[in-house]
Amino acid sequence: MSYETILFDVADGIATITLNRPELLNAFNDQMIEETTHAFKQAGRDDAVRCVLLTGNGRAFSSGQDLADVTARIGSFSISEHLRHGYNRLIATMIGLEKPIIGAINGVAAGAGCGIALAADLRIASDKASFMLAFSKVGLIPDSGVNWLLPRLVGYARAYEMAVTADKIPADKAYEWGIVNRVVPHEQLLETALAWAGPLAAGPTLAYGLTKRIMQKTWDMSLPESLEYEASLQEIAGRSQDNKEGVIAFLQKRAPNFSGK
Ligand code: T3D
């Protein structure tokens, strides 16, 4: 598939997806939702990709749903169907992708753009970035996974505050609240994100993926269930080439050469 609304590049084990409608602050139309979902699926299928970097072109990460598109549809349009066929598939694809996703948040992440930023596993924010649940400004509830992802990161009170005020949470506050892992000067964002992605792309991809799977599932489990699930996934990790290589490398006092398998 050739892309028109995003850029997609694979190098050194890292797939970089760049949201690319800068004149509209990377607002999502249907084509961009479709292409971004396709790119994440492609990154999942390609064994050469072991880490994904998601960022935005221009001064925003994403301003969320393209509101001009919404206006054009009034009358003949079901939001629930739009979510089911669009954002829900994108978020589920990101969450289900068993490779680390780094969000390099270059500017405002609003509405669905905020949900998509939150669906990354790690977030590095430029000091110009901000997070905004713009939904209530247009009379909507949060969607795109926000109601599942955000309270888990910041707790109910802060998540609800963000939803009802629609205030922009600047990068330093987002760091303090646990929304982002790092804040860096704007001009160092991509360089820092790539410096983080490099070692992840050379890491034990299978173990990283299983870790992502279990850390999402244990929210709904009791401790005994979680312990049992750990044991079953560790059985898989423990049979991997990377487990063997990691142990041998340790004993030989050298850096491991992980294959991701
Ligand atoms: O249909 C469904 O499935 C429902 C799903 C909904 C999910 C959602 O995402 S709902 C929330 C949608 N997003 C918003 O409500 C945010 C709207 N944008 C803003 O509030 C502001 O643009 C920002 C706070 C993000 C940034 O403000 P600022 O002052 O830095 O930029 P600006 O001047 O407002 O925007 C620059 C241009 O981008 C401007 O166009 P112009 O005047 O230069 O021709 C603006 O209209 C355009 N733009 C920004 N956001 C959107 C947009 N155009 C369409 N859709 C947008 N979301």
Side-chain angles (χ1 to χ4, degrees):
M1 182 178 192
S2 65
Y3 302 122
E4 292 175 349
T5 62
I6 62 167
L7 305 173
F8 184 71
D9 170 68
V10 178
D12 303 325
I14 305 162
T16 302
I17 301 172
T18 307
L19 307 174
N20 193 28
R21 300 181 80 210
E23 65 290 351
L24 295 176
L25 307 187
N26 302 320
F28 276 84
N29 61 7
D30 289 355
Q31 185 180 358
M32 193 158 100
I33 301 171
E34 185 67 35
E35 290 184 358
T36 310
T37 308
H38 187 279
F40 274 109
K41 287 193 170 158
Q42 176 59 29
R45 280 190 293 265
D46 185 350
D47 283 347
V49 172
R50 292 166 62 188
C51 181
V52 181
L53 193 63
L54 175 67
T55 193
N57 187 14
R59 71 181 175 89
F61 176 76
S62 169
S63 60
Q65 171 62 36
D66 185 330
L67 294 174
D69 255 28
V70 168
T71 313
R73 287 178 194 136
I74 278 172
S76 61
F77 172 69
S78 156
I79 289 194
S80 65
E81 285 308 305
H82 190 240
L83 289 175
R84 287 186 191 108
H85 293 111
Y87 294 111
N88 292 9
R89 284 179 53 237
L90 171 55
I91 298 297
T93 301
M94 292 176 70
I95 299 292
L97 178 63
E98 294 200 340
K99 298 176 182 180
I101 302 173
I102 299 177
I105 315 301
N106 53 303
V108 65
C114 186
I116 289 155
L118 297 178
D121 302 299
L122 302 161
R123 275 162 295 283
I124 304 183
S126 138
D127 54 8
K128 293 186 179 167
S130 57
F131 296 81
M132 180 187 181
L133 298 190
F135 305 90
S136 61
K137 286 217 178 223
V138 290
L140 293 177
I141 68 161
D143 59 30
S144 306
V146 166
N147 300 298
W148 194 84
L149 295 161
L150 190 62
R152 283 169 162 78
L153 286 174
V154 303
Y156 170 74
R158 284 173 170 166
Y160 193 70
E161 178 185 334
M162 283 179 69
V164 296
T165 62
D167 283 346
K168 262 191 197 172
I169 305 298
D172 54 350
K173 199 169 181 181
Y175 176 72
E176 190 193 314
W177 283 14
I179 296 174
V180 301
N181 300 74
R182 307 266 192 286
V183 181
V184 296
H186 185 73
E187 54 287 355
Q188 290 171 21
L189 179 68
L190 276 187
E191 172 196 329
T192 313
L194 283 168
W196 215 5
L200 290 182
T205 313
L206 177 70
Y208 290 161
L210 295 174
T211 306
K212 179 166 172 173
R213 193 193 300 177
I214 193 167
M215 285 196 175
Q216 285 156 5
K217 291 222 167 125
T218 51
W219 287 99
D220 304 320
M221 287 182 181
S222 65
L223 177 60
E225 285 168 337
S226 178
L227 290 170
E228 180 48 38
Y229 196 43
E230 280 174 5
S232 67
L233 294 194
Q234 197 67 294
E235 186 70 39
I236 300 171
R239 290 170 192 265
S240 68
Q241 291 172 23
D242 283 344
N243 175 239
K244 205 176 290 171
E245 165 62 8
V247 173
I248 291 171
F250 176 79
L251 295 174
Q252 294 179 345
K253 300 190 187 306
R254 62 170 173 82
N257 183 15
F258 290 127
S259 64
K261 300 202 164 100

